Amino acid sequence: MLTRLGRFTVRRRRLVLSFTVLFMVVAAVVGTGAFGVLQTGGFEDPNSESERAAAVLGERFGATDPNVILVVTATGGDVDDAAVELAGVDLAAAVRSLAGVDDVSSYWEADSPPSLRSTTADSALVLAIADGEDGDVEAALDDVREVVAEINGSSGAIRVDVGGPEAVDADIGTEIEGDLARAEMIAVPITLVLLILVFGGLLAASLPLFVGLIAVLGTFLSLYVIGSVTDVSIYAINLTTALGLGLAIDYGLFMVSRYREELRNGRSVEDAVVRTVQVAGRTIAISALIVAVSLSALLVFPQYFLRSFAYAGIAVVLLAMVASMVSLPALLAVVGTRIDALRILPRRPPRREEDGFWYRTAQRVMRRPVPVTIGVVAVLLLLGAPFLRAAFGTPDDRVLPESAPSRLANEVLRRDFVGNSAQTFPVVLLAGGNNAATAAAALAEDVSSLDGVARVEGPTGTYVTGEIVAPATEQSARFSTVGAAWLSVVPSMEMGSAAGEGLVEEVRDLDAPVDVLVGGDVASLVDTKASIASRLPLAIGIIVIATAVLLFLLSGSVLVPVKALLLNVLSLTATFGAMVWIFQDGNLSGLLGFTATGSIDTSMPILMFCIAFGLSMDYEVFMLSRIKEEHDRTGDNDTAVALGLERTGRIVTAAALLLSVTFFAFGTSGVSFIKMFGIGLGLAVLMDAFVIRGTLVPAFMKLAGQANWWAPGPLRRLHGRIGIREHTAEPQPEPARELVEV
């Protein structure tokens, strides 16, 4: 099949390239709408208790805790001064008049709780719920910001900062749009320079970038299409762009390198393209399938943040594969023997493969496989040790730069107000008739007496330390309806901590005569952890089984897949340890420009595992295919390992450097968990290419010897029928015994 595909791309090269250009134009035009259909949420399990609480609040009360918090600071004096009070009242009235904003309350209203004033008396709060007309919350938030800008420009008495969850989400979206442009401006020039160093000339170096451009434009198109039919996280646009660009360049590098090798082996242009598609294309197809399978494991999780990377990631991987196996061969057929045109660097003098760096490295490792294995494994386990104390949390405003407007507002809330008004959480009571409202008073007393609770507001008033401190007001009516009631719990602690999770569990454990649902961000975190933990074995099982099957089909061995799985886990363990040391503990936070919160995002290790595992297998397949090809030809295990490493070592390490540049470019993001993703995957790729492929792979394969290629009789016969073979009976020139220049 691949032979026919290769011949088709050669014979119909102009047609293929015409359709490629047409696709790129359509993708560029339509794909620009991706930002308009992507969502900022998706971290929660929609079937969890916390989400059911949110649903009841929305359906039965049409409200929830304030999602927009205006921090009003007196420019002189305190918030009780007449001029400040007048400006604050005008601000609340202006916000209340907006069509997309409901339930506006402020410190300057009668019977407002004292906690709406800061402990320093120079700041006070205006709270609102932005739900937007026809659900357009972003438009409502924009309207609020316009009002705030007008107040800030006209009133000398106050300065207003916009905080709360909706403002944080909006600022994250703004940061991500800027991150994408900045990352591409960093990654593309560096990638081009590295490709020139690898290939020595401009023309050959530009071809993988051609594939990368197709993948990036296709990424935007796929995100737009998928985001139009289902929820897709906005974070997917950065991360899948990085993945698409990196994989496309990897695959393009592999194809161009093999094409040049086939030309040097004496083939004509047409035969070299066909052979490249036949052999390198097979390897790329297997690699893409493994990466896609690793990403597909994310589909088992209910959070659409994780599923987004499966939807978009699989599409991007397939785009990179097709571009490499169809569009690039057609372009190679057009370029022909001019592949080395526009050469900048001098050609390297020919030399025997046995004198190559990676051949000699493999031989040195295989002479002492036991000490190399013990030493490298010990170092990897030591690097991974910090992950044993990993703490997990959910993103809050501190993922943003310190200069972000919403973060500035939320920092004031944390620092200057009694209780954390930015982290209030609801407790919903469900019962027939008015029983819920009656039970709410007793539950409010119990909840307010818990350690870590500043106050509880409900249908019967405000409670502190088990006592009512303020009676019900007109505003209290919003807490009760027929058959349901709810309480607003204001904590006195940092909720994004183990103590905050413990408080949620304590509230859930309280006895109540009615059904109680605890909601809020921390309750969602507790539910998310439980949800991920329950589905993690299935996700890992999908990855392990599918990867083992594909590697068996490629190698015909039962040991090689086991070895690959173990080495990948070792590599990722070290990477995860580094992530805890850097992003949880805060080491290098000043250099990298982020705020450590003592935890890492719950979803990120799962996402990083699936992507990094697939990329590690990408390099495993590249290397294994050449080792298997040489072993099929000679039957000599040690020589096959050394030659396979020599023929792929430079390509794999070059591909890893190129891919890591793309990921590290996203490490410049202003959003800390995007930064962690970029830096973490960059380190994972380099660790795998240089440490795992350069030392542990030859060491393990030396120790196993001919057992590398063993399989039980039934499996051996099965592989004989359906297995994938790199070495074919097709007549071909003897492989060159000198170092192949990539």
Side-chain angles (χ1 to χ4, degrees):
M1 183 178 71
L2 290 179
T3 302
R4 290 195 297 271
L5 176 63
R7 289 172 179 160
F8 173 81
T9 60
V10 170
R11 294 170 182 168
R12 300 287 187 268
R13 65 193 77 175
R14 300 187 188 281
L15 177 65
V16 170
L17 291 176
S18 297
F19 274 106
T20 298
V21 172
L22 177 63
F23 170 80
M24 293 169 70
V25 172
V26 171
V29 173
V30 178
T32 55
F35 282 101
V37 299
L38 303 181
Q39 311 297 318
T40 56
F43 297 95
E44 304 83 13
D45 179 353
N47 300 314
S48 64
E49 177 180 328
S50 55
E51 287 301 292
R52 285 186 285 130
V56 171
L57 286 170
E59 294 168 4
R60 305 289 291 274
F61 297 94
T64 184
D65 275 346
N67 59 6
V68 176
I69 301 175
L70 305 182
V71 181
V72 183
T73 303
T75 56
D78 62 41
V79 294
D80 293 317
D81 290 346
V84 175
E85 180 177 357
L86 179 61
V89 170
D90 289 345
L91 170 65
V95 173
R96 189 177 287 112
S97 68
L98 297 175
V101 180
D102 297 319
D103 294 326
V104 179
S105 59
S106 78
Y107 165 72
W108 296 279
E109 294 176 356
D111 301 321
S112 66
S115 56
L116 294 184
R117 186 181 71 172
S118 69
T119 55
T120 56
D122 62 349
S123 298
L125 303 181
V126 175
L127 309 177
I129 296 173
D131 49 16
E133 293 185 277
D134 300 323
D136 192 348
V137 178
E138 291 183 12
L141 180 62
D142 289 340
D143 291 342
V144 172
R145 283 177 163 165
E146 286 183 13
V147 169
V148 168
E150 185 177 343
I151 294 289
N152 284 336
S154 61
S155 173
I158 61 174
R159 186 193 76 251
V160 185
D161 295 305
V162 183
E166 287 301 330
V168 171
D169 286 346
D171 283 348
I172 288 176
T174 301
E175 281 288 335
I176 284 178
E177 289 186 39
D179 291 344
L180 184 61
R182 181 172 58 252
E184 290 177 349
M185 288 177 64
I186 293 171
V188 172
I190 296 176
T191 297
L192 179 59
V193 171
L194 290 175
L195 285 170
I196 291 173
L197 292 176
V198 171
F199 288 114
L202 282 173
L203 182 58
S206 66
L207 297 182
L209 283 178
F210 166 72
V211 181
L213 181 61
I214 297 172
V216 170
L217 294 176
T219 296
F220 284 108
L221 179 61
S222 65
L223 285 171
Y224 173 76
V225 172
I226 299 168
S228 299
V229 298
T230 188
D231 289 331
V232 176
S233 171
I234 194 170
Y235 306 112
I237 202 162
N238 279 19
L239 307 185
T240 53
T241 298
L243 182 64
L245 180 62
L247 281 178
I249 291 174
D250 273 8
Y251 295 162
L253 175 67
F254 195 62
M255 290 288 288
V256 173
S257 300
R258 186 69 189 227
Y259 172 70
R260 295 173 83 196
E261 181 180 336
E262 295 299 334
L263 286 180
R264 289 189 176 89
N265 283 340
R267 294 184 185 274
S268 66
V269 169
E270 291 76 10
D271 288 344
V273 172
V274 172
R275 181 62 179 168
T276 297
V277 173
Q278 181 189 47
V279 180
R282 182 185 294 116
T283 302
I284 288 171
I286 298 169
S287 170
L289 281 175
I290 290 177
V291 176
V293 166
S294 296
L295 290 171
S296 71
L298 295 169
L299 292 172
V300 307
F301 297 102
Q303 295 84 359
Y304 78 75
F305 170 79
L306 290 174
R307 293 203 313 273
S308 297
F309 295 98
Y311 301 144
I314 292 171
V316 167
V317 170
L318 296 180
L319 278 168
M321 179 187 73
V322 172
S324 301
M325 296 175 61
V326 178
S327 301
L328 181 57
L331 188 57
L332 289 174
V334 172
V335 171
T337 57
R338 300 186 301 275
I339 188 70
D340 288 324
L342 303 178
R343 192 167 187 89
I344 296 175
L345 300 179
R347 296 182 184 277
R348 296 178 182 86
R351 58 181 177 181
R352 298 187 315 146
E353 287 184 318
E354 288 80 356
D355 296 329
F357 171 80
W358 290 106
Y359 187 97
R360 290 182 286 111
T361 298
Q363 291 289 1
R364 282 195 296 267
V365 168
M366 288 191 291
R367 281 196 293 269
R368 300 176 182 82
V370 174
V372 169
T373 300
I374 294 174
V376 174
V377 169
V379 171
L380 292 175
L381 292 177
L382 180 64
L383 292 174
F387 192 68
L388 297 175
R389 50 182 170 78
F392 300 103
T394 51
D396 61 19
D397 60 282
R398 289 170 294 180
V399 305
L400 289 164
E402 294 181 355
S403 59
S406 60
R407 175 167 177 178
L408 291 172
N410 283 25
E411 291 285 6
V412 175
L413 289 172
R414 271 191 292 269
R415 184 184 67 239
D416 295 341
F417 285 81
V418 175
N420 195 340
S421 298
Q423 295 189 12
T424 59
F425 62 92
V427 178
V428 178
L429 299 91
L430 299 174
N434 293 319
N435 292 338
T438 302
L443 187 61
E445 292 180 2
D446 293 341
V447 173
S448 67
S449 66
L450 296 174
D451 290 339
V453 175
R455 70 179 185 278
V456 176
E457 298 173 8
T460 54
T462 301
Y463 294 78
V464 176
T465 62
E467 301 290 339
I468 188 168
V469 297
T473 65
E474 291 182 3
Q475 294 290 328
S476 301
R478 70 189 182 99
F479 289 106
S480 179
T481 189
V482 176
W486 68 286
L487 305 173
S488 179
V489 182
V490 181
S492 60
M493 63 170 69
E494 172 57 49
M495 288 298 289
S497 64
E501 295 178 43
L503 176 59
V504 168
E505 296 289 3
E506 285 188 76
V507 175
R508 286 178 169 175
D509 290 340
L510 290 173
D511 291 329
V514 297
D515 291 334
V516 176
L517 303 173
V518 180
D521 290 341
V522 177
S524 178
L525 170 61
V526 172
D527 295 338
T528 297
K529 286 183 177 180
S531 172
I532 288 177
S534 66
R535 292 165 174 80
L536 187 58
L538 176 59
I540 293 176
I542 291 172
I543 293 173
V544 169
I545 293 173
T547 301
V549 168
L550 287 170
L551 287 181
F552 168 75
L553 292 177
L554 176 63
S555 66
S557 164
V558 295
L559 184 61
V560 166
V562 173
K563 178 266 300 178
L565 292 168
L566 290 176
L567 294 188
N568 276 15
V569 170
L570 275 174
S571 175
L572 294 178
T573 299
T575 301
F576 285 168
M579 292 302 93
V580 169
W581 186 79
I582 296 172
F583 288 93
Q584 178 177 303
D585 299 347
N587 296 293
L588 306 181
S589 59
L591 176 65
L592 297 175
F594 69 92
T595 299
T597 61
S599 65
I600 55 178
D601 175 48
T602 306
S603 303
M604 200 54 63
I606 306 300
L607 181 60
M608 289 177 62
F609 175 83
C610 291
I611 294 178
F613 190 93
L615 293 176
S616 296
M617 284 301 177
D618 190 37
Y619 298 140
E620 173 73 16
V621 170
F622 283 2
M623 183 175 292
L624 181 61
S625 64
R626 294 308 295 265
I627 294 174
K628 182 69 165 58
E629 183 178 357
E630 188 63 24
H631 186 267
D632 285 349
R633 192 179 68 84
T634 66
D636 186 326
N637 179 75
D638 290 2
T639 300
V641 171
L643 286 175
L645 187 58
E646 173 61 31
R647 291 172 181 172
T648 59
R650 190 162 180 261
I651 299 173
V652 165
T653 52
L657 284 171
L658 292 164
L659 185 55
S660 67
V661 164
T662 303
F663 284 128
F664 285 140
F666 282 93
T668 64
S669 171
V671 180
S672 64
F673 63 83
I674 300 291
K675 188 187 299 288
M676 181 177 75
F677 182 92
I679 293 174
L681 285 181
L683 291 175
V685 166
L686 294 179
M687 178 78 70
D688 185 81
F690 286 89
V691 178
I692 301 299
R693 305 301 146 205
T695 60
L696 290 185
V697 167
F700 271 60
M701 296 195 80
K702 171 63 177 180
L703 290 171
Q706 287 301 122
N708 283 309
W709 315 106
W710 176 85
L715 290 180
R716 194 163 56 249
R717 289 189 291 273
L718 177 65
H719 182 266
R721 290 196 299 271
I722 65 174
I724 301 168
R725 289 174 174 78
E726 288 293 336
H727 181 69
T728 67
E730 177 188 348
Q732 55 184 303
E734 183 72 13
R737 299 297 292 175
E738 56 187 37
L739 183 65
V740 176
E741 179 190 3
V742 299

